Amino acid sequence: MPIIDVQQLTKSYRVYKKREGLGESIRGLFHREYSEVDAVRGIDLQVEAGEFVAFLGPNGAGKTTTLKLLSGVINPTSGSATVMGFVPWQRKNEYRRRFALVMGQKNQLWWDLPAQESYRLHQQIYGIPSQQFNATMEELTELLDVKRLLSQPVRELSLGERMKMELIAALLHSPEVLFLDEPTIGLDVIAQHNIQQFLRYYQEKRKITILLTSHYMKDVAALCKRVVVIARGRIEYDGSLSGIVDKFSSHKIITLQLADGHEPSLAHLGEILSETWPKVRVRVPRAEVPRALSETLAAHPIEDVVVEDPPLEDVIADLFRETAANPSS
């Protein structure tokens, strides 16, 4: 049985349509107009215990709403979901003790107090035995290299240091399921890498189930074998990372190394991405790759040729642009 089981989950919001102008504002006090916004539109999702799943989508796609539903923060409009056998929005204490939610843009630590004071509060809230608490604190602070920062007020920490502290707070009670919403947002490359390393090691060691949302493809590539793409509140793809390129990319990138002295026009092959003679990169429709290669090899002296898929970031960006351009589909 999946540890996370979602069936036709839907969340709609009733949004007040405010018109411009004083007269319209006064009229709106007596005759309000509303519209229905579907944040999540009947999604199905099953996640097995121990999986590390990336949940991708453009802004407003429904990623954060889904995590809030699964963590019981909000109630659904329709559909069902269970996590570890619990219905999240029933908010049972037994469930709350077995999962954690970390939101990169929300703080759960007291701003003006050292993180260790917030951790002591967490210990009391979750009823963590002292021996277990001390052992977990020792392990997490060592892995994240933040022991020296525990007595420092949270407001004095850098963004990367605060995120490490947030992760420790989320993991103190040893949850079986962890929901991560943009955990590396705003972090520099080094801080992102450190968080990635920690999450990879911790997940492999503890075998916990993690559902991660992120706009950074490096997070996804470094951590997740399975990717779920959500757009317009619906799941558009569920599979391997490499499968995204196969499914949504309609082009290949051909890099040609021409013999010295030859600078032919290759615009007829496709979109020229770069020309640093004698090397040329061309974006070619997948179906046209064999023809483009045969024509080029027959017409020009070639020293080297490389055919590759476009970068994952480009494929995802194209997919998001397409869904944004077709909101009703």
Side-chain angles (χ1 to χ4, degrees):
M1 180 178 177
I3 195 168
I4 299 174
D5 189 7
V6 176
Q7 302 287 339
Q8 288 298 299
L9 195 61
T10 298
K11 178 62 180 178
S12 300
Y13 293 97
R14 193 164 177 250
V15 180
Y16 169 51
K17 296 172 65 176
K18 188 178 184 303
R19 300 184 182 277
E20 294 184 10
L22 178 60
E24 291 294 337
S25 296
I26 295 174
R27 193 173 295 111
L29 294 174
F30 304 97
H31 302 285
R32 288 179 172 254
E33 294 183 24
Y34 295 88
S35 62
E36 289 287 329
V37 176
D38 295 323
V40 176
R41 303 166 69 182
I43 67 170
D44 295 311
L45 178 66
Q46 288 74 44
V47 178
E48 299 296 330
E51 280 196 277
F52 201 141
V53 181
F55 206 44
L56 305 182
N59 291 331
K63 306 184 302 298
T64 300
T65 300
T66 302
L67 292 193
K68 287 180 178 180
L69 288 166
L70 294 179
S71 57
V73 175
I74 57 177
N75 294 342
T77 303
S78 64
S80 65
T82 58
V83 183
M84 297 176 288
F86 295 95
V87 177
W89 42 90
Q90 291 180 351
R91 302 182 181 90
K92 293 183 177 180
N93 285 336
E94 298 96 318
Y95 176 55
R96 295 181 183 183
R97 295 179 188 279
R98 295 174 62 184
F99 86 93
L101 169 66
V102 176
M103 305 184 76
Q105 300 186 60
K106 302 286 185 180
N107 296 319
Q108 59 179 323
L109 301 175
W110 290 94
W111 189 249
D112 293 313
L113 295 178
Q116 61 188 6
E117 300 298 329
S118 293
Y119 297 158
R120 289 293 178 186
L121 177 60
H122 276 65
Q123 179 188 8
Q124 298 304 313
I125 291 173
Y126 286 99
I128 308 171
S130 294
Q131 186 175 356
Q132 177 186 337
F133 174 81
N134 292 332
T136 304
M137 273 282 290
E138 179 70 20
E139 177 190 23
L140 293 175
T141 54
E142 183 176 342
L143 286 173
L144 287 166
D145 190 26
V146 292
K147 284 185 180 181
R148 68 192 185 283
L149 303 174
L150 289 175
S151 60
Q152 194 170 331
V154 171
R155 59 180 165 76
E156 296 179 2
L157 303 177
S158 69
L159 185 58
E161 291 167 345
R162 289 204 302 273
M163 180 47 61
K164 289 181 179 181
M165 297 299 191
E166 294 284 346
L167 285 171
I168 291 174
L171 297 172
L172 278 173
H173 61 289
S174 301
E176 297 169 54
V177 174
L178 177 62
F179 300 117
L180 295 174
D181 188 30
E182 302 285 354
T184 59
I185 190 167
L187 303 187
D188 60 39
V189 175
I190 295 175
Q192 286 180 34
H193 180 69
N194 290 337
I195 297 295
Q196 289 166 7
Q197 282 192 313
F198 168 74
L199 289 173
R200 185 191 304 113
Y201 174 82
Y202 189 85
Q203 196 274 337
E204 289 177 353
K205 181 180 179 182
R206 295 295 185 95
K207 305 300 181 186
I208 68 171
T209 305
I210 300 180
L211 194 56
L212 162 78
T213 77
S214 180
H215 282 107
Y216 297 115
M217 291 304 103
K218 289 185 178 179
D219 283 352
V220 177
L223 298 170
C224 306
K225 294 180 179 179
R226 179 182 171 193
V227 177
V228 175
V229 178
I230 184 171
R232 303 183 301 269
R234 294 194 182 102
I235 290 179
E236 301 285 341
Y237 174 83
D238 185 348
S240 68
L241 197 58
S242 59
I244 291 182
V245 177
D246 295 334
K247 183 175 176 64
F248 295 107
S249 174
S250 59
H251 294 76
K252 290 272 193 179
I253 307 297
I254 299 179
T255 302
L256 299 167
Q257 179 90 24
L258 288 91
D260 292 343
H262 289 79
E263 296 186 12
S265 174
L266 300 175
H268 63 286
L269 298 179
E271 179 187 354
I272 303 297
L273 299 178
S274 65
E275 290 181 320
T276 52
W277 297 103
K279 183 178 290 187
V280 183
R281 296 180 75 244
V282 189
R283 190 169 182 258
V284 180
R286 280 177 176 262
E288 297 296 314
V289 169
R291 178 195 61 80
L293 287 175
S294 61
E295 288 184 3
T296 305
L297 292 170
H300 308 289
I302 305 294
E303 292 186 352
D304 192 20
V305 59
V306 176
V307 180
E308 57 189 342
D309 288 314
L312 178 62
E313 291 89 344
D314 294 349
V315 177
I316 294 292
D318 288 343
L319 172 61
F320 291 173
R321 279 192 289 268
E322 180 183 342
T323 57
N326 300 280
S328 61
S329 62

